[in-house]
């Protein structure tokens, strides 16, 4: 896997690009080699960081973060910080997190967790990782299209709905992939193939599916490298890209078929069931056999209509111009596995599933605008259209919450919840409601109340019976009430009951 960058080293950057790119556009700004981002790019990234951080922290402070996934990731990082392999009580008693998803990159957060042992550490780190990804894309856009275009594209990317959905829903390991993808794609768009390969390599440590994205980057590098001048240079580019593609694909296969099954208590890769035709109960589950597989990879990619709507929303901020760039092909692995999945959440625009597609699509947008060689007036029209669509979509996703007064208010129940949670001693074994678990994960061994795989007979139980009925999970309000009566009958005593919160102790 380390051979490709060495082989590409001799490629002259401009020789791997099409002839039109050897002459800068009139609006472009040729920069000195090695010149860093302009001050206003840092200001833009800093502003986006503050937006992401405020959204994440306010969501957490309002008791709206979740056991799945914020508490799971915090327990994994806490494990690394304590010097052992990651486990998560939320997933199950001493459940090995590396048997669920292959994300060893989380170990890099351990030093931060030593300094600030809290779920907030993960949320702030995620905000920083995503915000910094705007810099390589803006720098490339500035070189190719000019400062005004770089500013507009940077803001459209940074405030895009895919990023909003991810930032508004807890923390996820894909946050590490976003700056790596941005750096790799910017290098690839500028013909710096060796740098593109090097930036893509750490993606295999982010999550098991990212090896397929690395493979796609390798194939684009092979295509770009084959267009270098001279037989020897072209062969080196092809060989380097193909080696990177093969390495990425092998990493995904090994992770899904060897590493994850070996570490998973059930001896299998759990999420393969979503691609197997029955796990999610969705429309794609059409039985087994070749016919079902054929249906999944053809008509199943565009049915039900949710999938088509998601594809349209993915491309809309780029005015569908991303389809004119070969860089859009790097999005195919993610789009395809989401399309064939039986898990309905993979199909839509909620949660974190579109996060890694945003840098790819906006990189393709920059590349397409540069390839078109449009006039300054035409470029302004494209940018105005992209900005208009992004502004139109902004209120309908998580960033829109920040424009509503309730987002900045604090329910008095939050103070009650923290006061009761403070009565639970450090190191205790606890079961708690979904929204309370992330606030206990830094100092207790906490699992989810009502979850079948949670550790039985905890020392403490804290349940929020006042949450809205549609937000009750995993138990319905009726099932929760029955369960609380049962645990009281088993000897748990009521320590406190206030504002809908119930605190029980076994002692």
């Amino acid at each position: 896997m380390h051979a490709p960058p060495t082989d590409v080293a001799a490629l002259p950057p401009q020789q791997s690009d099409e002839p039109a790119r050897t002459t800068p556009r009139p609006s472009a700004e040729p920069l000195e080699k090695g010149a860093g981002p302009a001050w206003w790019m840092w200001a833009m990234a800093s502003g986006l960081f503050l937006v992401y951080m405020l959204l994440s922290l306010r969501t957490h402070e309002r008791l709206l973060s979740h056991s799945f996934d914020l508490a799971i990731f915090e327990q994994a990082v806490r494990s690394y910080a304590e010097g052992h392999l990651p486990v998560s009580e939320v997933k199950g008693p001493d459940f090995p997190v590396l048997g669920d998803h292959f994300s060893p990159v989380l170990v890099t957060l351990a030093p931060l967790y030593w300094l600030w042992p809290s779920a907030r550490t993960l949320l702030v780190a995620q905000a920083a990782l995503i915000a910094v990804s705007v810099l390589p894309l803006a720098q490339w856009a500035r070189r190719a299209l000019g400062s005004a275009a770089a500013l507009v594209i940077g803001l459209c990317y940074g405030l895009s709905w895919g990023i909003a959905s991810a930032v508004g829903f807890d923390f996820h390991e894909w946050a590490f992939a976003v700056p790596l993808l941005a750096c790799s794609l910017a290098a690839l768009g500028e013909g710096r193939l060796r740098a593109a390969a090097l930036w893509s390599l750490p993606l295999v440590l982010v999550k098991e599916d990212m090896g397929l994205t690395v493979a796609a980057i390798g194939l684009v590098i092979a295509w770009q490298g084959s267009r270098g001048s001279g037989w020897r240079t072209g062969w080196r580019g092809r060989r380097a890209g193909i080696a990177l593609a093969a390495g990425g694909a092998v990493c995904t296969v090994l992770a899904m078929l060897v590493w994850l099954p070996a570490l998973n208590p059930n001896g299998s890769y759990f999420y393969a069931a979503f691609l197997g035709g029955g796990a999610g109960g969705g429309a794609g589950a059409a039985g087994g056999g070749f016919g079902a597989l054929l249906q999944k990879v053809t008509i199943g990619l565009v049915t039900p209509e949710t999938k088509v709507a998601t594809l349209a929303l993915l491309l809309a901020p780029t005015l569908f111009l991303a389809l004119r760039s070969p860089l859009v092909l790097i999005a195919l692995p993610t789009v395809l596995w989401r399309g064939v999945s039986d898990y309905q959440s993979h199909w839509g625009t909620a949660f974190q599933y579109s996060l890694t597609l945003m840098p790819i699509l906006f990189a393709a947008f920059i590349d397409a605008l540069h390839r078109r060689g449009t006039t300054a007036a035409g470029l302004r029209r494209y940018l105005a259209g992209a900005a208009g669509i992004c502004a139109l979509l902004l209120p309908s996703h998580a960033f829109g919450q920040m424009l509503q007064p309730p987002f900045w208010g604090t329910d008095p129940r939050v103070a009650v919840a923290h006061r009761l949670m403070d009565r639970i001693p450090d190191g205790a074994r606890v079961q708690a409601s979904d929204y309370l678990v992330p606030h206990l994960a830094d100092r207790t061994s906490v699992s989810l109340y009502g979850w079948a795989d949670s550790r039985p007979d905890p020392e403490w139980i804290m349940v929020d019976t006042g949450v809205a009925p549609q937000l009750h999970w995993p138990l319905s309000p009726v099932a929760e009430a029955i369960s609380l009566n049962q645990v009281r009958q088993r000897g748990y005593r009521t320590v406190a009951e206030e504002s809908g919160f119930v605190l029980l102790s076994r002692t």
Side-chain angles (χ1 to χ4, degrees):
M1 289 181 58
H2 295 282
T6 302
D7 290 334
V8 183
L11 279 176
Q14 295 296 340
Q15 289 181 347
S16 65
D17 281 330
E18 55 189 325
R21 291 194 180 190
T22 59
T23 302
R25 292 170 44 86
S27 58
E29 298 179 20
L31 304 176
E32 294 182 7
K33 185 176 181 180
W39 68 267
W40 57 265
M41 295 183 188
W42 287 106
M44 177 171 58
S46 299
L48 291 171
F49 168 70
L50 290 176
V51 170
Y52 304 156
M53 185 175 64
L54 285 173
L55 175 59
S56 294
L57 294 181
R58 283 297 298 159
T59 300
H60 182 64
E61 290 165 1
R62 294 167 64 209
L63 300 184
L64 294 177
S65 52
H66 303 262
S67 57
F68 284 70
D69 292 319
L70 180 57
I72 292 174
F73 284 112
E74 182 180 1
Q75 289 175 336
V77 174
R78 180 181 172 185
S79 298
Y80 281 125
E82 292 174 349
H84 57 82
L85 290 178
V87 295
S88 173
E89 284 289 297
V90 174
K91 293 289 294 185
D94 297 319
F95 185 93
V97 175
L98 286 175
D100 187 51
H101 286 302
F102 186 72
S103 303
V105 70
L106 292 173
V107 72
T108 60
L109 293 179
L112 295 178
Y113 200 81
W114 294 335
L115 300 174
W116 191 17
S118 168
R120 296 175 182 85
T121 300
L122 279 67
L123 298 175
V124 172
Q126 175 174 259
L129 287 166
I130 298 176
V132 78
S133 69
V134 76
L135 295 175
L137 293 177
Q139 180 78 333
W140 173 28
R142 183 187 180 198
R143 284 194 172 103
L145 305 168
S147 291
L151 178 62
V152 173
I153 292 172
L155 289 174
C156 288
Y157 163 72
L159 298 175
S160 60
W161 67 262
I163 287 178
S165 296
V167 173
F169 183 68
D170 294 352
F171 168 92
H172 297 91
E173 69 277 84
W174 273 326
F176 286 93
V178 177
L180 292 171
L181 280 169
C183 289
S184 179
L185 292 165
L188 186 53
E190 293 183 324
R192 296 180 288 114
L193 305 187
R194 182 175 184 269
L198 284 171
W199 280 113
S200 73
L201 286 175
L203 289 170
V204 299
L205 302 177
V206 173
K207 200 172 182 181
E208 61 275 7
D209 65 290
M210 294 309 298
L212 298 178
T213 301
V214 173
I217 292 173
L219 292 178
V220 174
I221 287 176
W223 177 74
Q224 289 273 48
S226 67
R227 297 160 63 226
S229 61
W231 178 88
R232 184 180 297 277
T233 299
W235 169 243
R236 286 178 177 174
R238 286 193 299 271
R239 185 177 62 181
I242 291 171
L244 181 65
V250 167
C251 284
T252 289
V253 171
L254 287 176
M256 293 183 176
L257 300 184
V258 180
W259 301 330
L260 290 168
L263 294 170
N264 191 290
N266 296 322
S268 63
Y269 176 49
F270 173 78
Y271 300 95
F274 292 141
L275 310 179
F290 177 76
L293 178 62
L294 184 62
Q295 187 272 342
K296 277 175 171 287
V297 299
T298 52
I299 191 67
L301 292 175
V302 291
T303 56
E305 60 274 9
T306 303
K307 299 179 182 179
V308 177
T310 298
L311 286 174
L313 283 173
L314 284 168
L315 292 166
T318 71
L319 306 180
F320 290 80
L321 287 177
L323 294 173
R324 293 177 173 266
S325 168
L327 298 184
V328 78
L329 297 174
I330 297 170
L332 276 180
T334 300
V335 170
L336 289 176
W337 73 251
R338 288 177 63 184
V340 302
S341 173
D342 293 325
Y343 184 46
Q344 295 186 20
S345 293
H346 288 159
W347 307 342
T349 60
F351 310 116
Q352 73 279 11
Y353 301 111
S354 297
L355 176 60
T356 57
L357 293 175
M358 292 297 105
I360 299 173
L361 294 172
F362 276 89
F365 184 43
I366 297 169
D367 188 51
L369 289 174
H370 187 36
R371 287 172 181 271
R372 288 178 68 85
T374 186
T375 63
L379 179 61
R380 285 195 296 270
R381 287 195 295 270
Y382 287 129
L383 294 175
I389 290 176
C390 288
L392 186 66
L393 295 174
L394 189 65
S396 62
H397 291 85
F399 292 145
Q401 301 175 27
M402 304 180 73
L403 305 177
Q404 305 298 323
F407 179 84
W408 302 103
T410 301
D411 190 331
R413 296 181 72 247
V414 172
V416 176
H418 282 289
R419 177 159 45 82
L420 296 184
M421 284 189 287
D422 287 343
R423 300 181 68 172
I424 301 174
D426 293 352
R429 293 192 304 276
V430 187
Q431 284 188 15
S433 294
D434 181 38
Y435 298 100
L436 302 177
V437 171
H439 296 269
L440 292 164
D442 61 332
R443 63 182 186 86
T444 69
S445 177
V446 62
S447 54
L448 177 61
Y449 183 76
W451 185 251
D453 293 330
S454 292
R455 187 183 295 275
D457 302 320
E459 298 169 297
W460 293 79
I461 294 174
M462 185 166 172
V463 177
D464 181 5
T465 64
V467 70
Q470 67 271 21
L471 299 179
H472 266 79
W473 182 81
L475 298 178
S476 68
V478 173
E480 185 178 83
I482 294 172
S483 176
L484 284 173
N485 286 332
Q486 290 174 342
V487 297
R488 285 186 174 108
Q489 292 171 6
R490 296 205 311 266
Y492 283 84
R493 66 180 179 88
T494 301
V495 176
E497 191 166 355
E498 184 178 352
S499 299
F501 296 104
V502 179
L503 180 63
L504 305 175
S505 174
R506 199 177 60 186
T507 57

